[in-house]
Amino acid sequence: MTKLKTIGSVGIVSMAALTLVACGKNNQSNSNDAKTASKFPSSMPKKAAKQGGTVKVALETDTPFTGIFSDQLATTSFDAQIASPGAESLFDTDDYHKINDKGPATIKINQKNKTITITLKKGVKWSDGKRVTAKDLEYPYEILGNKKTKAQRYSTKLEVLKGLKEYHEGKAKTISGIELPDGDNGLRMILHFSSLKPGMSFSGNDYYVESAAPYHYLKDVPFNKLESSDKIRKKPLYFGPYKLAKLVRGQSVTWIPNKYYWRGKPKLAKIVYQVVSPNSASQAIKSHKFDIVQVVNSQWKEVKNTEKVKFIAQIPLYYSYLGFKVGKWDAKKGKNVMNPNSKMNNRSLRQAIGYAMNIAAVNKRYTNGLSFQIPTLIPKQFGDFYDPNVKGFTYNLKKANELLDKAGYKKKGKWRVQPNGKPLKINLLAMSGAATQEPIVQNYIQQWHKIGLNVGLLNGRLTEINSFYDKVQNDDQSVDMFMAAWGLSNEPSPNGLYSEGGPANYTRFVTAENNKLIDEIDSEKAFNHKYRVQKFHEWQEYMFKDAYVIPMYNAYKIYAVNDRLTGYSLKPAESNNDHPLWYQVGYVK
């Protein structure tokens, strides 16, 4: 679970008109900006660093962060960002995300015995000085698996570990597949699996946990109170290079060096994360108030000539999407249950909604060419797993109207009605964000109005981020469709996000075909690369056809970094949870 999968805002643009069909004269300029971003390095130049100094990082959000300092319980990218100076993964990787032996722990996979042995290095300590032990490796599975924690990151994908399902269902008090051969205070944990899976050598595969949890510190906190406890919200323990020194809830976090850090003394004296409105990002860069600021792509032209900063960039493993609510999560059964009579459970309706969206025009004109429409739910960065033959939902109002007509969504006056003749009102849940969020969402609503669909924002307005999460995760019955985004794991299996047993499958769609394809993608037969590629392609074609989730866009992620810093990197081998390995970051001598 190295990469934190998150819901994100769909806000992407700086200016907006209510209807955007063509891109006009901005095309050449947009193309040049995209070419410029594609040439940016992904890391700061490596130079000798001095000790000391404070780095101020802008956390761009228009609402307070939740502040759940737990790798097992946090679900937002904001919490992952503010925790990154302390929350080091158990494993380092190479630039292809393959786990190596350079991190706090190593792994050894035994295909014959279907086991994985995780061994901690000596000297890895929590920020209170206590040694990280085998029990700390086991405890995350108990946190995730115990239903009382209501962990959103639990998935049936993890149930390939023997005994975890029985523990999750309350049928067992311990997880039989976890062995601590040297006892709780040893350094080894052996995981016993029912089968080994393709991708287990790579970070982010989600079949085992890549974090530890301080058992000695948390063991007295009941599972049902863990997420709200002060030990998670105010005074967390980590074994990374920095420890939390000061928290202004929802607004800022200050980190200072962890004197017990296993790699040695980190270089900086302080790291401070401070909430900044996305609308103020460009001013934050130009004023040099912060040392690290993510560029809001719609504001690129305002900041691109800023002096004393260096721009670094990447195309992240990420996509935004439109999801359709067609069921609910059954906590007792631990699975998604689809409602065949759901308002949005009509393939033609979903496809028509997709074809009516002018995503490419919005991106090209209003993000300086730095965002781009994507056709499938598997990004190109996954190489041959990506299917180039899936064309996606290109803007086509004629096709959208034909789909609705053929499916029986007839017009009665201005709006179409359901095939059964009942009125059709579709509530869209969209998250608040930058100033451009409202007009962009209204643009899409107007596009749907053009094909006779009565779509409106839930409660007539954009929804604040925490309320958005609550409605999506708890299947608020008033939500028909929603705009969100995922930051993806390095291992491309769709199991965690779209399986029957995955709480993160927020649309709640469940079909026999989807189950079959995901099982085949993750089967032992899929150790054959050619076979796995074929199944990934079949899954993408299936998801395009059934359209329970419509992929929208990805974007260049650009950071403006103080040019006196070194060691700040977005490269997979030099980052953790899409953030730098903070022990490497310092000021140039």
Side-chain angles (χ1 to χ4, degrees):
M1 292 191 173
T2 295
K3 302 295 179 184
L4 183 65
K5 303 185 183 85
T6 57
I7 301 175
S9 170
V10 74
I12 54 176
V13 294
S14 61
M15 299 172 61
L18 289 181
T19 303
L20 307 167
V21 178
C23 301
K25 297 179 181 179
N26 289 324
N27 282 349
Q28 186 61 44
S29 174
N30 291 342
S31 176
N32 290 338
D33 287 330
K35 288 179 180 178
T36 298
S38 70
K39 294 178 181 178
F40 285 145
S42 56
S43 62
M44 294 295 287
K46 291 187 177 180
K47 299 180 180 179
K50 63 182 180 181
Q51 287 293 136
T54 296
V55 165
K56 295 182 179 180
V57 188
L59 183 73
E60 292 161 47
T61 169
D62 63 342
T63 58
F65 58 78
T66 10
I68 300 173
F69 294 95
S70 165
D71 289 325
Q72 296 78 49
L73 300 175
T75 58
T76 74
S77 63
F78 302 128
D79 283 354
Q81 289 178 63
I82 62 173
S84 64
E88 188 166 282
S89 171
L90 288 172
F91 309 113
D92 285 7
T93 73
D94 62 19
D95 276 333
Y96 298 97
H97 306 290
K98 189 171 184 179
I99 294 171
N100 58 35
D101 61 0
K102 297 179 181 180
T106 60
I107 66 168
K108 184 177 180 180
I109 298 175
N110 187 318
Q111 283 191 287
K112 181 180 179 181
N113 295 335
K114 298 180 181 178
T115 62
I116 291 179
T117 300
I118 298 176
T119 305
L120 285 159
K121 290 180 179 176
K122 294 179 180 179
V124 181
K125 294 181 179 180
W126 298 105
S127 52
D128 65 354
K130 299 287 187 182
R131 190 161 56 93
V132 181
T133 67
K135 183 62 181 178
D136 299 329
L137 300 180
E138 179 185 41
Y139 199 47
Y141 294 90
E142 296 180 2
I143 294 173
L144 285 165
N146 194 296
K147 284 190 175 183
K148 292 181 180 179
T149 65
K150 298 180 180 179
Q152 289 289 317
R153 296 179 66 190
Y154 182 85
S155 167
T156 51
K157 192 173 182 182
L158 285 165
E159 292 176 359
V160 71
L161 176 66
K162 290 183 176 180
L164 185 58
K165 181 179 181 181
E166 290 76 9
Y167 176 79
H168 181 63
E169 294 175 348
K171 297 176 181 177
K173 293 184 178 180
T174 59
I175 303 167
S176 62
I178 297 180
E179 177 187 355
L180 307 181
D182 306 313
D184 287 3
N185 294 318
L187 299 178
R188 288 189 301 153
M189 175 176 70
I190 301 175
L191 301 174
H192 297 261
F193 296 94
S194 57
S195 62
L196 296 187
K197 300 291 185 178
M200 280 185 165
S201 297
F202 294 84
S203 174
N205 63 74
D206 284 354
Y207 289 109
Y208 53 87
V209 177
E210 297 180 40
S211 59
Y215 177 74
H216 73 280
Y217 186 62
L218 299 176
K219 63 181 179 181
D220 294 329
V221 182
F223 282 120
N224 64 343
K225 296 181 179 180
L226 193 59
E227 184 178 308
S228 61
S229 71
D230 284 354
K231 291 183 177 182
I232 293 294
R233 295 298 188 109
K234 294 181 179 179
K235 299 177 181 179
L237 288 186
Y238 288 110
F239 61 77
Y242 293 88
K243 68 176 183 178
L244 195 149
K246 183 181 178 182
L247 171 69
V248 179
R249 192 160 189 175
Q251 296 300 317
S252 69
V253 183
T254 301
W255 298 85
I256 60 174
N258 170 15
K259 66 180 180 180
Y260 302 106
Y261 183 53
W262 70 283
R263 297 191 216 239
K265 187 177 181 180
K267 298 176 178 65
L268 297 169
K270 284 183 183 179
I271 300 170
V272 180
Y273 275 85
Q274 175 70 50
V275 166
V276 175
S277 167
N279 297 325
S280 303
S282 62
Q283 185 57 38
I285 294 170
K286 290 187 290 184
S287 67
H288 302 287
K289 183 179 179 180
F290 294 89
D291 300 291
I292 299 166
V293 186
Q294 185 177 341
V295 176
V296 175
N297 287 348
S298 58
Q299 301 171 12
W300 169 243
K301 291 188 185 301
E302 300 171 36
V303 302
K304 65 179 182 180
N305 296 320
T306 305
E307 296 180 351
K308 298 182 180 180
V309 301
K310 187 171 183 65
F311 294 105
I312 63 174
Q314 66 169 183
I315 297 177
L317 291 173
Y318 166 97
Y319 59 78
S320 70
Y321 69 93
L322 177 70
F324 300 95
K325 278 287 187 183
V326 292
K328 65 179 182 179
W329 173 255
D330 189 322
K332 290 184 178 180
K333 295 180 179 178
K335 65 179 183 179
N336 294 292
V337 178
M338 191 159 73
N339 175 11
N341 298 316
S342 167
K343 184 191 303 182
M344 307 311 294
N345 206 354
N346 184 294
R347 180 195 295 172
S348 296
L349 174 61
R350 298 191 299 270
Q351 289 177 341
I353 287 171
Y355 282 117
M357 297 178 76
N358 53 345
I359 298 169
V362 170
N363 289 339
K364 288 178 182 178
R365 183 167 184 178
Y366 295 104
T367 71
N368 302 302
L370 298 174
S371 298
F372 47 91
Q373 186 171 4
I374 54 171
T376 90
L377 300 173
I378 300 295
K380 284 185 179 180
Q381 295 97 306
F382 286 125
D384 53 2
F385 290 136
Y386 165 77
D387 186 354
N389 296 316
V390 176
K391 301 306 179 186
F393 289 92
T394 52
Y395 183 62
N396 192 330
L397 286 183
K398 181 180 178 181
K399 189 167 187 175
N401 276 310
E402 288 175 349
L403 282 163
L404 292 172
D405 291 341
K406 191 174 181 180
Y409 289 89
K410 297 178 180 179
K411 273 193 175 182
K412 282 192 176 180
K414 184 178 180 181
W415 306 120
R416 293 179 184 268
V417 297
Q418 298 179 61
N420 60 12
K422 293 182 179 179
L424 177 61
K425 175 68 170 71
I426 299 172
N427 291 322
L428 170 68
L429 180 69
M431 197 186 301
S432 59
T436 56
Q437 181 80 334
E438 177 80 33
I440 285 303
V441 173
Q442 291 296 341
N443 159 76
Y444 289 129
I445 288 174
Q446 183 163 320
Q447 292 301 123
W448 295 319
H449 287 179
K450 286 182 179 180
I451 59 173
L453 293 179
N454 185 11
V455 179
L457 277 172
L458 182 65
N459 298 322
R461 62 183 183 273
L462 298 176
T463 301
E464 179 270 332
I465 184 172
N466 296 309
S467 179
F468 179 96
Y469 291 151
D470 181 68
K471 291 180 185 300
V472 170
Q473 293 172 349
N474 294 301
D475 304 319
D476 189 305
Q477 292 184 0
S478 61
V479 177
D480 297 316
M481 59 185 189
F482 60 95
M483 287 177 171
W486 285 118
L488 301 176
S489 293
N490 310 315
E491 209 290 313
S493 169
N495 193 320
L497 295 181
Y498 299 113
S499 65
E500 182 175 0
N505 178 2
Y506 292 132
T507 65
R508 310 306 183 198
F509 88 96
V510 179
T511 67
E513 181 67 11
N514 184 60
N515 289 347
K516 173 178 171 289
L517 287 169
I518 289 178
D519 286 345
E520 289 172 339
I521 284 170
D522 291 340
S523 66
E524 292 197 45
K525 192 174 179 180
F527 277 100
N528 180 308
H529 183 75
K530 186 177 180 180
Y531 173 86
R532 199 174 196 222
V533 166
Q534 176 190 337
K535 293 303 172 182
F536 262 107
H537 287 196
E538 290 178 14
W539 182 78
Q540 288 167 82
E541 180 62 38
Y542 168 73
M543 290 296 284
F544 169 60
K545 179 187 70 174
D546 268 22
Y548 290 105
V549 176
I550 292 177
M552 292 177 63
Y553 70 90
N554 198 343
Y556 284 95
K557 182 186 285 187
I558 306 172
Y559 287 89
V561 183
N562 185 330
D563 62 8
R564 295 184 294 118
L565 286 176
T566 183
Y568 193 93
S569 177
L570 305 175
K571 294 179 179 178
E574 298 172 344
S575 63
N576 177 28
N577 285 336
D578 287 333
H579 305 289
L581 291 174
W582 276 106
Y583 76 90
Q584 299 181 147
V585 179
Y587 281 96
V588 176
K589 282 186 177 180

